[in-house]
Amino acid sequence: MVLLRSLNPLAVARGDDLDAAVTIGDTVLSRSAILGAATSVAERVAQADRVAVLATPTAKTILAVVGALIAGVTVVPVPPDSGKAEREHILRDSGAQAWLGETDDHCDTLPVVPVRLHARSWHSYPEPAPQSTAFVLYTSGTTGPPKGVLLSRSAIAAGIDALAEAWDWTWRDTLVHGLPLFHVHGLILGILGPLRIGSRVIHTVKPTPENYARAKGSLYFGVPTVWSRIAEDEEAARALSGARLLVSGSAPLPVPVFEKLRDRTGLTPIERYGMSETMLTLSTRFDGERRPGWVGVPLRGVETRLRDEKGNDVPHDGESIGGLQVRGPMLFDGYLNRPDATAESWTEDGYFKTGDVAVIDEGGFHRIVGRESIDLIKTGGFRVGAGEIETAILGHPSVSEVAVIGVPDADLGQRIIAVVVRKPGSPEVAEAELVELVGGELSAHKRPREVRFAETLPRNAMGKVQKRELF
């Protein structure tokens, strides 16, 4: 099992070396250039166990990651915007022995191994064991410092191959995205995916509508914030009409954005679901139904189920909410240095407890309601998903963004509150109007008890709303 299949020297020798295998900003790399430069990196780090990479959107970041993988060295991607305390925790917890590639003024705690774009080596390294750890990805939970997620080479290969089947992703595609290179979406799927499948990739550095329109790809990755901006830019949206697939993930795609994107590009977006611990496990398919607000069916090799608080099965009726559990070959091997958290996350029969709540319909289609810890609201004896209320409110023409939370209430247990951002230049909307909108589309007990208006919603680098900052 060769993880970076399209960099295999035999593939290059057969003439499969594309002139522009990877384009990132103004830098263009062929497959032979990547292989030669990355192997030069491998020679410098081959004796290390783990190296940290400051994951800026540059060619040197890509070569650093690929070089370490060639040598069988575990990569610890570090977000460039991480604060001092977070960065120190990642380095200390991971046991990284050096910085590999570009650094900044705050990266003075470890030796630095340079990455040179034009260096070349053709030394041959044996393929590391499939079960060896390729990455330690740090993911923030609801409490405590970020945990290191251990992802093996075999899990990454299985995840990419399952997506290739679901999306009909082949070497003929040109993938375009401008996502950060320190997580599953942008780095593993967005860079290693093309290097395994053999397709071209254009990283736009910044995911602006203009950059996406200019790239002329066949397959596009974006988070909802990116797609919202593209949908509002009619010229950019129409420029994407020649693509094959538009893929949205990392957060729910609002239904109005889904519909406007479809109307202006002529393409119905693909939505999918995953997390650092699981890679991607659910997606709508290239040849299947694409339903706004739903993330599709299990990928090849994936099994899912819903459980209530007592561990009982939740019916697949499209309405009943339960905790989502998954198992499959692309799941992680546990949390680094956290056997307690690892044990708590798995069931005895091998399912990972995602911490998300969802519904599944009779046909196996999944809709993610949100995080069990914050998006499952228990009010007046009812279990309510924040996501369905948000979807209803986003249907109002004056609403740009919304986050629904449940706050403690002496009478109800939790009181539903909606935090709303108005669209610039749109007519003002009254609180009562939004409450009535929800009551007309959903059950009466799902109506917000309060609507607050805000200029913006707090988001992280992936575009996910940070609801805990709203309490």
Side-chain angles (χ1 to χ4, degrees), residues 374-394:
I374 197 167
D375 292 317
L376 180 60
I377 302 171
K378 298 175 183 178
T379 181
F382 295 98
R383 292 157 51 92
V384 177
E388 58 185 340
I389 304 173
E390 291 165 351
T391 297
I393 294 175
L394 282 169

Side-chain angles (χ1 to χ4, degrees), residues 87-125:
R87 191 174 295 189
E88 288 178 350
H89 166 73
I90 290 173
L91 296 180
R92 182 176 59 253
D93 187 67
S94 69
Q97 296 156 296
W99 285 105
L100 179 56
E102 294 185 334
T103 58
D104 60 25
D105 294 339
H106 304 290
C107 299
D108 56 359
T109 55
L110 293 174
V112 178
V113 178
V115 170
R116 301 182 178 93
L117 289 178
H118 302 293
R120 296 289 185 271
S121 171
W122 305 109
H123 181 79
S124 179
Y125 286 86

Side-chain angles (χ1 to χ4, degrees), residues 17 28 82 105 110 131 138 164 262 277 300 330 364-365 397-398 408:
D17 183 28
V28 179
S82 57
D105 294 339
L110 293 174
Q131 68 271 21
Y138 278 82
R262 179 182 58 197
E277 290 91 338
R300 183 182 61 198
M330 63 285 292
F365 241 62
S398 291

Side-chain angles (χ1 to χ4, degrees), residues 330-466:
M330 63 285 292
L331 270 62
F332 75 133
D333 291 326
Y335 296 110
L336 179 66
N337 303 325
R338 292 292 306 275
D340 55 335
T342 300
E344 291 172 4
S345 298
W346 295 86
T347 66
E348 291 183 358
D349 55 349
Y351 280 83
F352 174 68
K353 295 181 281 188
T354 67
D356 286 322
V357 285
V359 300
I360 305 175
D361 73 6
E362 297 86 346
F365 241 62
H366 292 60
R367 177 167 62 84
I368 306 300
V369 174
R371 293 299 291 171
E372 193 165 10
S373 60
I374 197 167
D375 292 317
L376 180 60
I377 302 171
K378 298 175 183 178
T379 181
F382 295 98
R383 292 157 51 92
V384 177
E388 58 185 340
I389 304 173
E390 291 165 351
T391 297
I393 294 175
L394 282 169
H396 194 286
S398 291
V399 174
S400 172
E401 297 178 291
V402 61
V404 170
I405 58 177
V407 301
D409 185 274
D411 179 42
L412 297 169
Q414 284 183 298
R415 185 172 73 260
I416 300 172
I417 294 177
V419 183
V420 171
V421 177
R422 296 187 186 95
K423 286 182 181 177
S426 64
E428 288 197 7
V429 56
E431 175 179 357
E433 186 178 349
L434 295 177
V435 172
E436 203 169 300
L437 173 65
V438 174
E441 294 193 12
L442 306 174
S443 303
H445 63 266
K446 298 178 181 180
R447 292 178 297 180
R449 298 289 175 143
E450 181 184 347
V451 176
R452 301 172 183 171
F453 293 94
E455 294 295 322
T456 60
L457 296 179
R459 294 181 180 273
N460 64 11
M462 285 297 298
K464 294 182 180 179
V465 176
Q466 302 300 284

